[in-house]
């Protein structure tokens, strides 16, 4: 069953991350403590799960997938640390606990995010795969994290904040595809690249991942409207308070839910040729659009 695999993979990735992060008793202690605060004891681990699900579907071992799974989670954690800073979203709650700049201080939070990003590429550079696959994975994660991916999407999000009414739906989709979708897509691709899949398989997985990424963000948008801070583990209602561009703001709640249904069909059709091998990817796709936090 997918759930038992997911539970085992969560335990596995926690152990991998614990080993990868610097020990808190080693100097500089404040920085190391902030890095561990940002990464451990929280989070859905959706991105590592996607790495494991995609990789094992096509024959990669969990041992081979540990490095890319940890790397993508470290990039995600760094992005959250910086996203929560006063200069960005200015948030005080993340994963049910104080954000890094609140628990420590702004300077330490910036350094912790930088260090987590560097550690991600260090781990991936040591992945136990051949050189060609290692370079392909490094390139994939670098693109997803940079101006053509997550950072570019964050820049678009900053530009759109306070101007939500002027944004068109295609522009919002591009923002989400970069800010949220790029790293989720990279997660699927990292697993597939570690397994050495063919180009046509990778293209089909891209269609699945692109739909999943957009669905994940639409569900986030809906939860910000309909959820509460205790359940979400982060501050609810901030999108509307900051006049952020979201799908509920642009097309309404009912149309946003309908869009999720459409994306579910796209995901299912993209994975159909892989049969039972893709069952865990399919389950993660549904989880992305059905989750309650």
């Amino acid at each position: 069953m997918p759930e038992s695999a997911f539970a085992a993979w969560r335990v596995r990735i926690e152990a991998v991350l614990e080993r990868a992060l610097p020990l808190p008793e080693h100097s500089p202690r404040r920085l190391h403590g902030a890095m561990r605060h940002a990464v451990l004891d929280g989070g859905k681990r959706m991105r590592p799960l996607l790495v494991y699900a995609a990789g094992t579907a096509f024959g990669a071992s969990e041992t081979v997938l540990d490095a890319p799974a940890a790397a993508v989670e470290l990039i995600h954690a760094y992005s959250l640390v910086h996203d929560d800073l006063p200069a960005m979203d200015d948030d005080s709650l993340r994963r049910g606990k104080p954000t890094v700049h609140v628990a420590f201080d702004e300077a330490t939070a910036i350094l912790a995010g930088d260090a987590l990003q560097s550690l991600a590429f260090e781990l991936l550079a040591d992945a136990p795969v051949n050189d060609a696959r290692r370079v392909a994975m490094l390139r994939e994660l670098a693109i997803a994290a940079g101006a053509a991916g997550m950072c570019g999407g964050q820049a678009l999000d900053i530009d759109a904040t306070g101007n939500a009414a002027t944004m068109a739906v295609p522009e919002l989709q591009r923002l989400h595809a970069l800010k949220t979708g790029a790293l989720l897509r990279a997660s699927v691709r990292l697993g597939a690249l570690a397994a050495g899949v063919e180009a046509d398989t990778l293209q089909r997985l891209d269609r699945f991942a692109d739909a999943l990424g957009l669905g994940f963000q639409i569900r986030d948008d809906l939860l910000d409207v309909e959820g509460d801070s205790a359940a979400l583990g982060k501050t609810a209602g901030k999108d509307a308070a900051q006049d952020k561009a979201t799908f509920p703001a642009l097309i309404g709640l009912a149309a946003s839910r309908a869009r999720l249904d459409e994306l579910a069909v796209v995901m299912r059709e993209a994975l159909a040729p892989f049969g039972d091998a893709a069952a865990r990817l399919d389950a993660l796709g549904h989880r992305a659009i059905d989750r309650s936090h």
Side-chain angles (χ1 to χ4, degrees), residues 179-196:
K179 182 179 178 181
T180 302
L183 204 56
L184 289 166
R185 186 177 194 247
S187 302
V188 175
R189 278 184 150 246
L190 286 171
L193 289 169

Side-chain angles (χ1 to χ4, degrees), residues 106-174:
E106 285 186 46
T108 301
I110 293 169
L111 291 174
D114 292 344
L116 291 173
Q117 180 179 198
S118 297
L119 181 58
F121 288 103
E122 178 184 341
L123 293 181
L124 201 52
D126 291 333
V129 295
N130 63 43
D131 289 347
R133 291 185 188 181
R134 188 180 300 112
V135 170
M137 289 194 294
L138 285 165
R139 183 177 187 275
E140 186 65 42
L141 189 58
I143 292 171
M150 188 176 65
C151 286
Q154 178 69 3
L156 291 174
D157 191 32
I158 291 170
D159 290 344
T161 299
N163 302 297
T166 66
M167 178 167 277
V169 171
E171 293 175 300
L172 180 58
Q173 286 188 190
R174 179 169 181 264

Side-chain angles (χ1 to χ4, degrees), residues 249-264:
L250 264 63
I251 65 175
L253 294 173
S256 296
R257 295 190 194 99
R259 189 61 189 276
L260 284 179
D261 292 338
E262 295 169 3
L263 292 167

Side-chain angles (χ1 to χ4, degrees), residues 3-291:
E3 286 304 322
S4 61
F6 298 159
W9 286 340
R10 284 195 197 90
V11 172
R12 186 179 185 93
I13 194 60
E14 291 299 327
V16 173
L17 291 167
E18 170 73 37
R19 290 194 301 269
L21 288 162
L23 294 173
E25 61 268 25
H26 289 179
S27 179
R29 293 181 181 179
R30 191 169 183 81
L31 173 61
H32 292 171
M35 292 169 69
R36 297 175 73 87
H37 181 93
V39 176
L40 300 176
D41 305 320
K44 294 177 281 294
R45 307 305 191 204
M46 173 64 81
R47 291 151 191 83
L49 293 181
L50 286 169
V51 174
Y52 286 123
T56 57
F58 298 98
S61 71
E62 292 174 346
T63 300
V64 165
L65 297 168
D66 285 339
V72 76
E73 184 66 11
L74 291 172
I75 291 291
H76 177 55
Y78 124 71
S79 76
L80 298 181
V81 173
H82 284 190
D83 192 47
D84 289 333
L85 287 167
M88 297 282 193
D89 281 358
D90 192 14
D91 220 329
S92 59
L93 186 68
R94 173 69 68 179
R95 293 174 169 175
K97 56 188 180 182
T99 50
V100 176
H101 72 272
V102 171
F104 295 85
D105 55 69
E106 285 186 46
T108 301
I110 293 169
L111 291 174
D114 292 344
L116 291 173
Q117 180 179 198
S118 297
L119 181 58
F121 288 103
E122 178 184 341
L123 293 181
L124 201 52
D126 291 333
V129 295
N130 63 43
D131 289 347
R133 291 185 188 181
R134 188 180 300 112
V135 170
M137 289 194 294
L138 285 165
R139 183 177 187 275
E140 186 65 42
L141 189 58
I143 292 171
M150 188 176 65
C151 286
Q154 178 69 3
L156 291 174
D157 191 32
I158 291 170
D159 290 344
T161 299
N163 302 297
T166 66
M167 178 167 277
V169 171
E171 293 175 300
L172 180 58
Q173 286 188 190
R174 179 169 181 264
L175 186 162
H176 286 335
L178 297 181
K179 182 179 178 181
T180 302
L183 204 56
L184 289 166
R185 186 177 194 247
S187 302
V188 175
R189 278 184 150 246
L190 286 171
L193 289 169
V197 303
E198 300 293 332
D200 58 342
T201 296
L202 198 58
Q203 288 177 355
R204 185 166 285 277
L205 289 173
D206 282 346
R207 288 198 290 276
F208 162 78
D210 288 343
L212 182 149
L214 183 57
F216 189 94
Q217 185 59 56
I218 293 175
R219 173 56 68 187
D220 249 13
D221 291 349
L222 287 167
L223 288 172
D224 189 76
V225 176
E226 300 171 334
D228 64 83
S229 297
L232 295 176
K234 60 183 180 180
T235 308
K238 289 208 70 176
D239 290 344
Q242 296 179 343
D243 191 25
K244 279 186 169 281
T246 67
F247 271 85
L250 264 63
I251 65 175
L253 294 173
S256 296
R257 295 190 194 99
R259 189 61 189 276
L260 284 179
D261 292 338
E262 295 169 3
L263 292 167
V265 173
V266 173
M267 285 190 286
R268 191 178 308 117
E269 291 178 346
L271 295 180
F274 306 131
D276 291 343
R280 292 166 180 171
L281 276 176
D282 180 66
L284 287 172
H286 285 289
R287 172 170 296 189
I289 62 176
D290 293 336
R291 60 198 165 89

